[in-house]
Amino acid sequence: MAVTKKHSKKRDAILREMLATTRHPGAQWVHERLKARIPDLSLGTVYRNIGLFVQEGLLRPLGVINGEERFDAHVEPHPHRVCISCGRIEDVPCPNEALLKRLHGKNAGGPGGFQIDFRKTVFYGVCPHCSDQGT
Amino acid sequence: MAVTKKHSKKRDAILREMLATTRHPGAQWVHERLKARIPDLSLGTVYRNIGLFVQEGLLRPLGVINGEERFDAHVEPHPHRVCISCGRIEDVPCPNEALLKRLHGKNAGGPGGFQIDFRKTVFYGVCPHCSDQGT
DNA sequence: CTCGATGCAAAAGGTTTGCATTGAG
DNA sequence: CTCAATGCAAACCTTTTGCATCGAG
């Protein structure tokens, strides 16, 4: 069942903006981006709605990069790569798919009683753009 | 070459405290823990020294859990499991070791020009203590 | 004595929250 | 009309920083 009760243009705009990009945006980026079209959109509303989307499973939190939580609208579990220079996040195309699948089992976390719900794999490195800059 | 220039009792205490625990502590925990022994230890000093230790490679930042950055004094790369209920972090004992190794290569991140420096794998779930609580 | 290390408090960000107002059904 | 959604601003928390003081070499 949905957490959301009523319909709202701003809520729609926030979700659509996040679905339409591959940037794995944070709240601030979404807000700044939408302000152009919706000048009276408040940052608080962006945060509140992102929170709801996450609860509904429409968005997946990726983790904090440079102090800001980032989100992915493509909710099927998959690894990411993060540029430690500029914070860019990309989906990892086809990362040893078979191997990763074998790591997905309930017991992948090893013994000790943890009930593993999900896994996150992140590769950290420098993206092409940043390595061109000579850092 | 070392980042640190001078010797200090407080700095030593901070590092020793973090090396002596398997909790993967955050700055606040270290500070609170040491205050008992060193009443005039300031939180700023804990943050500053942790920052130095990370630069020196003595500590590895694990990521933000519940809004707080956590650190590991065991710097050889290895996966972790995190309790999404209480924030407990544990090393993962022996997680399909062979498989994980095969994911370590420079190209593990897939094509696209990223120069992969390191990888983080985290399993999220509920620890035994929290699942006993019924949550 | 010199310069790095520290305490203290203010500042900086990102995120959350309380409350009055707006708007969807 | 009713209650969810929003704007606004204050509150929160963790982390950083500026500056005067302290302490190691």
Side-chain angles (χ1 to χ4, degrees):
Chain A
M1 65 175 250
V3 177
T4 313
K5 299 291 181 62
K6 288 189 178 178
H7 183 262
S8 129
K9 292 183 177 181
K10 287 172 182 173
R11 173 169 300 160
D12 287 350
I14 293 167
L15 183 55
R16 260 186 293 107
E17 196 69 28
M18 297 185 82
L19 287 168
T21 183
T22 63
R23 300 175 59 92
H24 308 82
Q28 315 268 351
W29 181 87
V30 176
H31 179 240
E32 198 171 323
R33 200 104 197 306
L34 286 175
K35 258 191 314 192
R37 237 196 305 150
I38 313 174
D40 68 333
L41 176 67
S42 84
L43 188 52
T45 292
V46 176
Y47 276 110
R48 265 185 289 237
N49 280 300
I50 288 181
L52 290 177
F53 296 145
V54 170
Q55 283 185 59
E56 294 182 74
L58 300 175
L59 246 43
R60 179 173 283 261
L62 292 185
V64 176
I65 305 295
N66 291 142
E68 192 190 16
E69 180 77 52
R70 305 279 289 269
F71 301 90
D72 195 341
H74 306 109
V75 293
E76 323 80 57
H78 59 278
H80 297 87
R81 55 188 184 194
V82 173
C83 177
I84 55 184
S85 173
C86 69
R88 177 187 193 79
I89 302 179
E90 294 181 358
D91 295 330
V92 172
C94 231
N96 301 289
E97 205 171 335
L99 292 180
L100 285 171
K101 270 192 184 138
R102 294 176 59 186
L103 287 167
H104 253 302
K106 284 287 178 193
N107 301 318
F114 257 70
Q115 302 163 3
I116 301 301
D117 287 344
F118 57 97
R119 181 180 50 78
K120 284 183 184 170
T121 300
V122 182
F123 300 92
Y124 295 85
V126 180
C127 74
H129 181 265
C130 286
S131 57
D132 282 352
Q133 311 274 305
T135 307
Chain B
M1 61 175 252
V3 176
T4 312
K5 299 292 182 61
K6 287 190 180 178
H7 182 263
S8 129
K9 292 183 178 182
K10 288 172 181 173
R11 172 169 300 159
D12 287 349
I14 293 168
L15 183 55
R16 259 187 292 108
E17 196 69 29
M18 298 185 81
L19 287 168
T21 184
T22 64
R23 301 174 57 93
H24 308 81
Q28 315 267 352
W29 181 89
V30 176
H31 178 240
E32 198 170 323
R33 200 104 197 307
L34 286 176
K35 256 191 313 192
R37 238 194 306 148
I38 313 173
D40 69 332
L41 176 67
S42 85
L43 188 53
T45 293
V46 175
Y47 276 110
R48 266 185 288 236
N49 280 301
I50 288 181
L52 290 176
F53 296 145
V54 170
Q55 283 185 58
E56 294 181 72
L58 300 175
L59 246 42
R60 180 174 281 262
L62 291 185
V64 176
I65 306 294
N66 290 142
E68 193 190 17
E69 180 78 50
R70 305 280 288 270
F71 301 89
D72 194 342
H74 306 111
V75 293
E76 324 78 58
H78 58 277
H80 296 87
R81 55 189 184 193
V82 174
C83 177
I84 54 183
S85 174
C86 70
R88 177 186 193 77
I89 303 179
E90 293 180 358
D91 295 330
V92 173
C94 233
N96 300 289
E97 203 171 336
L99 292 181
L100 285 171
K101 271 189 183 143
R102 294 177 58 188
L103 287 166
H104 252 302
K106 283 288 179 193
N107 302 315
F114 257 71
Q115 303 164 3
I116 302 301
D117 286 345
F118 58 97
R119 180 179 52 77
K120 285 183 185 170
T121 300
V122 182
F123 300 92
Y124 295 85
V126 180
C127 73
H129 182 263
C130 285
S131 56
D132 282 353
Q133 310 275 306
T135 309

Short mmCIF file of all heavy atoms in Angstrom, two decimals, chain A residues 6 8 10-11 40 42 45 48, chain D residues 2-9:
data_model
loop_
_atom_site.label_atom_id
_atom_site.label_comp_id
_atom_site.label_asym_id
_atom_site.label_seq_id
_atom_site.Cartn_x
_atom_site.Cartn_y
_atom_site.Cartn_z
N LYS A 6 -2.50 11.85 -1.20
CA LYS A 6 -3.07 12.76 -2.19
C LYS A 6 -2.13 13.01 -3.34
O LYS A 6 -0.94 12.71 -3.27
CB LYS A 6 -3.44 14.10 -1.52
CG LYS A 6 -4.65 14.00 -0.62
CD LYS A 6 -5.10 15.38 -0.18
CE LYS A 6 -6.36 15.27 0.68
NZ LYS A 6 -6.80 16.58 1.17
N SER A 8 -0.25 15.50 -6.12
CA SER A 8 0.30 16.86 -6.14
C SER A 8 1.24 17.05 -7.31
O SER A 8 2.05 16.18 -7.63
CB SER A 8 1.02 17.14 -4.83
OG SER A 8 2.31 17.63 -5.04
N LYS A 10 3.72 19.09 -7.58
CA LYS A 10 5.13 19.19 -7.20
C LYS A 10 5.72 17.82 -6.94
O LYS A 10 6.85 17.52 -7.32
CB LYS A 10 5.27 20.10 -5.97
CG LYS A 10 5.05 21.55 -6.32
CD LYS A 10 5.01 22.44 -5.11
CE LYS A 10 4.74 23.89 -5.55
NZ LYS A 10 4.53 24.79 -4.41
N ARG A 11 4.94 16.98 -6.25
CA ARG A 11 5.43 15.62 -6.00
C ARG A 11 5.73 14.90 -7.30
O ARG A 11 6.77 14.25 -7.44
CB ARG A 11 4.38 14.85 -5.20
CG ARG A 11 4.71 13.39 -5.02
CD ARG A 11 3.80 12.74 -4.02
NE ARG A 11 3.91 13.39 -2.73
CZ ARG A 11 3.00 13.33 -1.77
NH1 ARG A 11 1.89 12.64 -1.98
NH2 ARG A 11 3.18 13.94 -0.64
N ASP A 40 8.42 28.38 -6.66
CA ASP A 40 8.04 28.36 -5.25
C ASP A 40 8.17 26.97 -4.63
O ASP A 40 7.51 26.66 -3.64
CB ASP A 40 6.62 28.89 -5.07
CG ASP A 40 5.59 27.95 -5.68
OD1 ASP A 40 5.96 27.22 -6.63
OD2 ASP A 40 4.44 27.93 -5.21
N SER A 42 9.93 24.41 -2.36
CA SER A 42 10.85 24.53 -1.24
C SER A 42 11.69 23.26 -1.08
O SER A 42 11.26 22.15 -1.42
CB SER A 42 10.08 24.81 0.04
OG SER A 42 9.62 23.61 0.60
N THR A 45 10.17 20.39 0.88
CA THR A 45 9.24 19.53 0.14
C THR A 45 9.99 18.47 -0.65
O THR A 45 9.56 17.32 -0.72
CB THR A 45 8.39 20.39 -0.82
OG1 THR A 45 7.52 21.19 -0.02
CG2 THR A 45 7.55 19.52 -1.73
N ARG A 48 11.01 15.90 1.89
CA ARG A 48 9.88 15.11 2.38
C ARG A 48 9.43 14.11 1.33
O ARG A 48 9.17 12.94 1.63
CB ARG A 48 8.72 16.04 2.75
CG ARG A 48 8.72 16.39 4.22
CD ARG A 48 7.50 17.20 4.60
NE ARG A 48 7.57 18.55 4.06
CZ ARG A 48 7.51 19.66 4.80
NH1 ARG A 48 7.36 19.58 6.09
NH2 ARG A 48 7.58 20.86 4.25
P DT D 2 -15.36 20.00 8.04
OP1 DT D 2 -16.11 19.13 8.95
OP2 DT D 2 -14.82 21.29 8.51
"O5'" DT D 2 -14.18 19.15 7.40
"C5'" DT D 2 -14.53 17.97 6.65
"C4'" DT D 2 -13.27 17.16 6.40
"O4'" DT D 2 -12.62 17.67 5.21
"C3'" DT D 2 -12.23 17.21 7.50
"O3'" DT D 2 -11.62 15.92 7.60
"C2'" DT D 2 -11.26 18.27 7.04
"C1'" DT D 2 -11.30 18.09 5.53
N1 DT D 2 -11.07 19.30 4.73
C2 DT D 2 -10.56 19.15 3.46
O2 DT D 2 -10.29 18.06 2.98
N3 DT D 2 -10.40 20.32 2.77
C4 DT D 2 -10.68 21.59 3.21
O4 DT D 2 -10.49 22.56 2.48
C5 DT D 2 -11.19 21.69 4.55
C7 DT D 2 -11.52 23.04 5.12
C6 DT D 2 -11.36 20.55 5.23
P DC D 3 -10.67 15.60 8.84
OP1 DC D 3 -11.15 14.34 9.44
OP2 DC D 3 -10.48 16.80 9.67
"O5'" DC D 3 -9.30 15.28 8.10
"C5'" DC D 3 -9.31 14.41 6.97
"C4'" DC D 3 -8.09 14.67 6.12
"O4'" DC D 3 -8.17 15.98 5.53
"C3'" DC D 3 -6.76 14.65 6.91
"O3'" DC D 3 -5.77 14.08 6.06
"C2'" DC D 3 -6.48 16.12 7.15
"C1'" DC D 3 -6.98 16.70 5.82
N1 DC D 3 -7.28 18.14 5.82
C2 DC D 3 -7.22 18.83 4.61
O2 DC D 3 -6.93 18.21 3.59
N3 DC D 3 -7.49 20.15 4.59
C4 DC D 3 -7.81 20.78 5.72
N4 DC D 3 -8.07 22.09 5.65
C5 DC D 3 -7.89 20.08 6.97
C6 DC D 3 -7.62 18.77 6.97
P DA D 4 -4.45 13.50 6.70
OP1 DA D 4 -4.69 12.14 7.20
OP2 DA D 4 -3.89 14.53 7.59
"O5'" DA D 4 -3.53 13.40 5.41
"C5'" DA D 4 -4.12 12.99 4.19
"C4'" DA D 4 -3.54 13.78 3.03
"O4'" DA D 4 -3.95 15.16 3.14
"C3'" DA D 4 -2.01 13.81 3.00
"O3'" DA D 4 -1.59 13.77 1.65
"C2'" DA D 4 -1.68 15.13 3.64
"C1'" DA D 4 -2.82 16.00 3.16
N9 DA D 4 -3.15 17.11 4.05
C8 DA D 4 -3.44 17.06 5.37
N7 DA D 4 -3.73 18.22 5.90
C5 DA D 4 -3.61 19.11 4.84
C6 DA D 4 -3.79 20.51 4.74
N6 DA D 4 -4.14 21.27 5.76
N1 DA D 4 -3.60 21.07 3.53
C2 DA D 4 -3.25 20.29 2.50
N3 DA D 4 -3.06 18.97 2.47
C4 DA D 4 -3.26 18.44 3.69
P DA D 5 -0.05 13.81 1.29
OP1 DA D 5 0.12 13.01 0.07
OP2 DA D 5 0.70 13.50 2.51
"O5'" DA D 5 0.19 15.34 0.92
"C5'" DA D 5 -0.43 15.87 -0.24
"C4'" DA D 5 0.21 17.20 -0.60
"O4'" DA D 5 -0.23 18.21 0.34
"C3'" DA D 5 1.74 17.21 -0.55
"O3'" DA D 5 2.22 17.98 -1.64
"C2'" DA D 5 2.05 17.86 0.80
"C1'" DA D 5 0.88 18.82 0.96
N9 DA D 5 0.48 19.07 2.34
C8 DA D 5 0.34 18.16 3.35
N7 DA D 5 -0.05 18.68 4.49
C5 DA D 5 -0.18 20.04 4.22
C6 DA D 5 -0.57 21.12 5.01
N6 DA D 5 -0.92 21.03 6.29
N1 DA D 5 -0.59 22.34 4.42
C2 DA D 5 -0.25 22.45 3.12
N3 DA D 5 0.13 21.49 2.28
C4 DA D 5 0.15 20.29 2.90
P DT D 6 3.73 18.29 -1.75
OP1 DT D 6 4.01 18.39 -3.20
OP2 DT D 6 4.49 17.38 -0.89
"O5'" DT D 6 3.81 19.76 -1.15
"C5'" DT D 6 2.98 20.77 -1.70
"C4'" DT D 6 3.28 22.12 -1.09
"O4'" DT D 6 2.76 22.15 0.26
"C3'" DT D 6 4.77 22.46 -1.00
"O3'" DT D 6 4.99 23.69 -1.66
"C2'" DT D 6 5.04 22.56 0.50
"C1'" DT D 6 3.67 22.83 1.07
N1 DT D 6 3.44 22.31 2.44
C2 DT D 6 2.99 23.17 3.42
O2 DT D 6 2.78 24.35 3.22
N3 DT D 6 2.78 22.58 4.65
C4 DT D 6 2.98 21.26 4.99
O4 DT D 6 2.75 20.86 6.12
C5 DT D 6 3.46 20.42 3.92
C7 DT D 6 3.72 18.96 4.17
C6 DT D 6 3.67 20.97 2.71
P DG D 7 6.45 24.30 -1.74
OP1 DG D 7 6.57 24.92 -3.07
OP2 DG D 7 7.45 23.30 -1.30
"O5'" DG D 7 6.38 25.45 -0.63
"C5'" DG D 7 5.34 26.41 -0.70
"C4'" DG D 7 5.64 27.57 0.24
"O4'" DG D 7 5.35 27.17 1.60
"C3'" DG D 7 7.09 28.04 0.24
"O3'" DG D 7 7.11 29.46 0.44
"C2'" DG D 7 7.71 27.28 1.40
"C1'" DG D 7 6.53 27.13 2.37
N9 DG D 7 6.50 25.87 3.11
C8 DG D 7 6.89 24.64 2.66
N7 DG D 7 6.71 23.68 3.54
C5 DG D 7 6.16 24.33 4.65
C6 DG D 7 5.74 23.82 5.90
O6 DG D 7 5.78 22.65 6.30
N1 DG D 7 5.24 24.82 6.73
C2 DG D 7 5.16 26.14 6.39
N2 DG D 7 4.66 26.96 7.31
N3 DG D 7 5.54 26.65 5.22
C4 DG D 7 6.03 25.68 4.40
P DC D 8 8.45 30.30 0.44
OP1 DC D 8 8.12 31.65 -0.05
OP2 DC D 8 9.53 29.52 -0.20
"O5'" DC D 8 8.75 30.41 2.00
"C5'" DC D 8 7.67 30.64 2.90
"C4'" DC D 8 8.22 30.72 4.32
"O4'" DC D 8 8.00 29.46 4.99
"C3'" DC D 8 9.72 31.01 4.39
"O3'" DC D 8 9.92 32.11 5.26
"C2'" DC D 8 10.33 29.72 4.90
"C1'" DC D 8 9.17 29.07 5.65
N1 DC D 8 9.19 27.59 5.65
C2 DC D 8 8.68 26.91 6.76
O2 DC D 8 8.21 27.56 7.70
N3 DC D 8 8.69 25.56 6.77
C4 DC D 8 9.19 24.89 5.73
N4 DC D 8 9.17 23.55 5.79
C5 DC D 8 9.73 25.57 4.58
C6 DC D 8 9.70 26.91 4.58
P DA D 9 11.43 32.68 5.48
OP1 DA D 9 11.33 34.15 5.51
OP2 DA D 9 12.37 32.02 4.57
"O5'" DA D 9 11.71 32.19 6.97
"C5'" DA D 9 10.60 32.07 7.86
"C4'" DA D 9 11.05 31.32 9.09
"O4'" DA D 9 10.97 29.89 8.86
"C3'" DA D 9 12.50 31.59 9.47
"O3'" DA D 9 12.59 31.68 10.88
"C2'" DA D 9 13.25 30.40 8.91
"C1'" DA D 9 12.22 29.29 9.12
N9 DA D 9 12.37 28.16 8.24
C8 DA D 9 12.89 28.13 6.97
N7 DA D 9 12.90 26.93 6.42
C5 DA D 9 12.35 26.12 7.40
C6 DA D 9 12.08 24.74 7.44
N6 DA D 9 12.35 23.91 6.43
N1 DA D 9 11.52 24.24 8.56
C2 DA D 9 11.25 25.08 9.57
N3 DA D 9 11.45 26.40 9.65
C4 DA D 9 12.02 26.86 8.52
#
